[in-house]
Amino acid sequence: KKTIYSCAFAFALIFVSSCGSNTNNNTEYVKLVKTAFAKELSPIKEKSFPAVIEEAEEVNLAFRVAGPIYKIHVKEGQYVKKGQLIAEMDSRDYQVQKSAAEAQARQLKSEFERIEELKKRNSVSENDYEKMKAGKEMAEAKYKNTVDQLNDTKLYAPFSGYITEVMFKNGELVNHGTPIVSLVDVSLLKVVIDVPASMYIKKNAITNIECTQENIQNETFPLTLYSNNIKANNNCLYKLYLYHSPRAGSKLAPGMNVSVNISFKAYEAPIVSIPVTAIFEKNGNSFVWVVDNNVVKSRQLETNNLIANGHI
């Protein structure tokens, strides 16, 4: 097959001999024919799929304790960094509980140390010693719980992102687990597309994935395939999960419609394209006329699929 890449294929070649009434005056006519060069096709094909940009993560932040909100420190649309204070609750009651638990834990610790010293002298029973030890440990656990509850009166951002909604105001009473604000992470953008089985089985042959947005001219955005759903949905389509790492000042945002363009290797061996009208059948096989150094010869070939513009 490699030898025919630079050869031209003749659509038809007709030699016409015409004889008049005078057998001594024979004239031979050669008709001009159209030829075409064989073209080697790229093994890379491209398919496009519609999709919608999604945020990498969205969470509703809530206090782990109940009480009145002292102050909310953020506004809708504000960018916050990981660990930044989002809101805080009135901590008065939890501070009192902590102080009481701390005093009790300190007292029981002191009593336990005294009992422990008596135990060394065999002046206290094993049962009394174990009771005092258990009481001390329970008091310490209670104190630790009050410390945790006091710390939980402050709400911090678990990751960097944007505040999309503030659901309460200062002074309002909330229960534990009640969402206070919504936070989205846009350090990565997700794209989910549904593809047919023909594309799914080619996922390992993908060479490049990018997307475009109709309102963002002359710019493409690279995508990376990180996962896929092994089971088809009710429409016999498979989900491919992609992500995009936006650069600073990126124009892409969650909710935008995009067109995902996937480039993949469709053929392992080189593929040659010729006009389908150049092929003729003989004895159940396909042939083409090859013009090489002004000599026309027939050559058998193996055909594949029809492609655009009347080529095969």
Side-chain angles (χ1 to χ4, degrees):
K1 292 182 180 179
K2 294 183 179 178
T3 60
I4 67 174
Y5 294 163
S6 61
C7 300
F9 294 94
F11 286 25
L13 183 60
I14 304 174
F15 292 88
V16 180
S17 296
S18 175
C19 298
S21 58
N22 186 355
T23 58
N24 295 325
N25 189 18
N26 293 336
T27 304
E28 184 179 78
Y29 298 95
V30 178
K31 185 175 181 180
L32 296 180
V33 298
K34 188 176 181 181
T35 62
F37 285 99
K39 298 179 180 179
E40 185 173 355
L41 299 180
S42 170
I44 304 300
K45 284 191 173 183
E46 185 176 288
K47 288 190 176 181
S48 297
F49 302 91
V52 178
I53 297 293
E54 301 176 11
E55 64 278 355
E57 186 177 5
E58 181 176 10
V59 296
N60 293 325
L61 303 183
F63 288 107
R64 299 180 65 177
V65 293
I69 297 176
Y70 173 69
K71 188 173 184 181
I72 295 178
H73 296 274
V74 295
K75 297 179 180 179
E76 293 177 347
Q78 179 179 341
Y79 179 79
V80 296
K81 295 182 178 180
K82 180 179 180 179
Q84 183 173 334
L85 182 62
I86 300 296
E88 55 184 316
M89 184 177 290
D90 187 344
S91 61
R92 178 184 56 188
D93 294 341
Y94 295 100
Q95 183 65 53
V96 171
Q97 293 176 12
K98 172 182 172 295
S99 299
E102 183 179 14
Q104 184 181 18
R106 191 185 310 110
Q107 177 186 0
L108 289 176
K109 180 182 178 181
S110 177
E111 293 181 5
F112 175 74
E113 291 175 350
R114 182 177 61 83
I115 292 292
E116 194 172 31
E117 185 65 28
L118 293 175
K119 184 177 181 299
K120 293 179 181 179
R121 304 174 184 176
N122 295 324
S123 300
V124 66
S125 66
E126 186 70 23
N127 185 49
D128 291 341
Y129 172 79
E130 291 298 332
K131 286 182 179 180
M132 181 58 66
K133 182 180 179 181
K136 179 186 77 74
E137 292 175 351
M138 290 177 61
E140 290 174 345
K142 183 178 179 180
Y143 169 67
K144 183 180 183 304
N145 182 57
T146 60
V147 172
D148 292 339
Q149 287 185 329
L150 181 60
N151 292 334
D152 289 339
T153 59
K154 293 186 177 181
L155 190 61
Y156 298 93
F159 52 80
S160 299
Y162 289 89
I163 301 296
T164 59
E165 185 179 3
V166 177
M167 305 168 189
F168 287 90
K169 298 179 180 179
N170 296 340
E172 290 189 281
L173 185 66
V174 295
N175 201 355
H176 67 277
T178 302
I180 305 299
V181 299
S182 290
L183 176 67
V184 296
D185 178 11
V186 293
S187 60
L188 285 178
L189 297 177
K190 293 194 305 182
V191 179
V192 182
I193 58 175
D194 294 322
V195 301
S198 58
M199 183 70 253
Y200 176 79
I201 62 179
K202 288 286 187 181
K203 64 182 184 299
N204 293 328
I206 292 175
T207 58
N208 184 60
I209 311 177
E210 59 187 19
C211 70
T212 57
Q213 213 285 330
E214 60 179 356
N215 297 312
I216 305 176
Q217 300 296 325
N218 303 321
E219 191 170 356
T220 59
F221 304 92
L223 299 173
T224 301
L225 173 64
Y226 71 91
S227 182
N228 64 267
N229 199 334
I230 197 172
K231 183 180 179 180
N233 58 21
N234 293 334
N235 296 321
C236 298
L237 298 175
Y238 295 84
K239 288 189 180 296
L240 298 185
Y241 301 95
L242 317 169
Y243 72 83
H244 168 68
S245 299
R247 300 184 297 268
S250 175
K251 299 176 183 178
L252 282 185
M256 286 186 176
N257 294 319
V258 294
S259 178
V260 177
N261 305 311
I262 300 180
S263 301
F264 60 97
K265 192 173 182 181
Y267 311 108
E268 292 298 330
I271 298 294
V272 175
S273 167
I274 62 172
V276 69
T277 51
I279 298 175
F280 65 93
E281 299 293 325
K282 182 180 178 182
N283 299 327
N285 296 316
S286 298
F287 290 84
V288 69
W289 292 109
V290 179
V291 181
D292 189 9
N293 294 325
N294 292 326
V295 177
V296 179
K297 300 178 181 179
S298 66
R299 180 172 298 173
Q300 185 177 346
L301 46 78
E302 179 184 345
T303 59
N304 201 311
N305 297 323
L306 287 170
I307 55 176
N309 302 323
H311 282 63
I312 191 171

